[in-house]
Amino acid sequence: MEKFAFVIHPLDARKDVARKYPIARYLPEQVVEFAIKFSNPQVVGHCTGIRAANGAEAEGWFVACPLSARQMLELPTEFVYDRIVQCGMIAADLGAGILGLGAFTSVVGDAGVTIASRLPIAVTTGNSYTVATAIEAAVTANQLLGRNVEDSVVAVVGATGSIGRTCAMVLGRDARSVTLVGRTESKLNAVAGEVRASGAREVTTSTDVKSALKAADIVVTVTSAVDTVIHPADLKSGAVVCDVARPRDVSVRVVKERPDVLVIEGGVVKIPGDHVDLNFSFGFEPGTAYACMSETMMLALAGRYESFTLGKTVSVEQVRETQRLAQEQGFKLAGFRSFERPVTDETIESVKKAIAAR
């Protein structure tokens, strides 16, 4: 039996902590964050029933790091590192051979490099398979709305980050054009050079989200922003928006006010095995998980206790390797979800009708 662990943390301190301690929903967010800052990491879930198509089996644990997304960004980096390393030591004591870094634990500091250097087990951010599933989801949803990626304009928001850069490189090869959106022009220009070198037909850059999305058929958004950055008026009619970020980049108002736009979440994956039980609810269907978690699982199933995805860049070769492992072991995209609800065939037809009516 192979073993892994995965670090999770509250994205919204009051809302997420209230799932375990209901009184938290009645307290100011600052009070909740102050309280959890002095709490210890703990195991909150035991994953069982994971079985690859080739017969390999794995079990794992979710270890909660008691810091919110905002605290991950605002507290001293060394303080945050220490908390994540504590999680990793718990994982090592449980016998895990690899630790996956979830949400902002994969962003803080040097994206896992320092964490890996301080632990006796392997570490991965899961970003390689996150890129693979985000691209697959966005391209498939675009096809369902009647477009091929070759004829589509693509925008990547957060293009200078680890996931965004690689999404732009892969999608840029096939799309009619790709716009890279970020906060720093010099960094955008550097990524644009890499995207052009990878074979993209047309590449532009922008530091203005609103103007950059006006012509985009496909939007992949993956910023590290704490607040939403994409709003109803920003999007073209018929756009497909794949939101990979946690916390979300897309305002919930988009779903309510723009029926002619399809918003999907990136990277929700069906885990192989007849009796998969994560013993922790992320609001998904049973037996499904985020892609970053799935990358940790598939590396464990393969007995590859190596620090696979670390640092600020993800290579196209790493993305292809996770796709190969997924196919070999039986991981696959679990349909579409939007704001914690499944996207049904009826939802797709409703979006098509709204597009036609405009």
Side-chain angles (χ1 to χ4, degrees), residues 148-172:
N148 293 320
V149 67
E150 292 82 3
D151 302 321
S152 300
V153 175
V154 172
V156 179
V157 183
T160 59
S162 171
I163 296 173
R165 168 186 166 275
T166 314
C167 284
M169 291 180 71
V170 176
L171 282 169

Side-chain angles (χ1 to χ4, degrees), residues 110-337:
D110 53 13
V113 175
T114 298
I115 300 300
S117 72
R118 298 179 183 181
L119 287 175
I121 59 176
V123 175
T124 190
T125 62
N127 284 348
S128 297
Y129 194 47
T130 295
V131 170
T133 56
I135 292 170
E136 181 182 355
V139 171
T140 303
N142 193 52
Q143 289 173 333
L144 290 174
L145 293 187
R147 291 186 300 259
N148 293 320
V149 67
E150 292 82 3
D151 302 321
S152 300
V153 175
V154 172
V156 179
V157 183
T160 59
S162 171
I163 296 173
R165 168 186 166 275
T166 314
C167 284
M169 291 180 71
V170 176
L171 282 169
R173 293 177 179 178
D174 298 326
R176 177 155 63 91
S177 69
V178 59
T179 299
L180 313 180
V181 187
R183 291 180 297 181
T184 308
E185 190 65 45
S186 59
K187 292 182 179 178
L188 285 170
N189 290 336
V191 175
E194 294 181 283
V195 175
R196 291 189 185 96
S198 70
R201 283 187 278 174
E202 180 180 340
V203 184
T204 57
T205 64
S206 177
T207 57
D208 182 354
V209 174
K210 294 185 181 300
S211 64
L213 302 189
K214 294 296 184 186
D217 301 301
I218 299 174
V219 179
V220 177
T221 182
V222 58
T223 77
S224 298
V226 174
D227 300 313
T228 55
V229 296
I230 297 177
H231 302 279
D234 301 338
L235 297 161
K236 173 186 177 181
S237 181
V240 169
V241 185
C242 182
D243 191 348
V244 188
R246 291 295 176 275
R248 290 183 174 85
D249 283 342
V250 181
S251 167
V252 69
R253 288 177 48 227
V254 173
V255 172
K256 295 176 180 176
E257 299 175 20
R258 293 296 304 272
D260 58 328
V261 168
L262 178 60
V263 180
I264 58 175
E265 297 170 356
V268 181
V269 174
K270 178 74 171 65
I271 305 166
D274 295 331
H275 305 288
V276 175
D277 190 347
L278 301 184
N279 285 297
F280 192 89
S281 175
F282 294 94
F284 300 158
E285 299 299 317
T288 61
Y290 287 114
C292 51
M293 298 171 184
S294 300
E295 180 178 313
T296 310
M297 295 175 192
M298 64 175 64
L299 289 168
L301 284 167
R304 290 177 56 170
Y305 295 122
E306 58 186 90
S307 292
F308 185 78
T309 311
L310 289 180
K312 298 293 187 182
T313 60
V314 176
S315 71
V316 174
E317 290 72 25
Q318 285 174 304
V319 175
R320 302 299 186 212
E321 177 62 4
T322 58
Q323 290 174 317
R324 187 191 69 76
L325 284 172
Q327 184 171 20
E328 177 182 285
Q329 297 176 348
F331 289 83
K332 58 185 178 182
L333 198 64
F336 303 124
R337 297 184 64 84

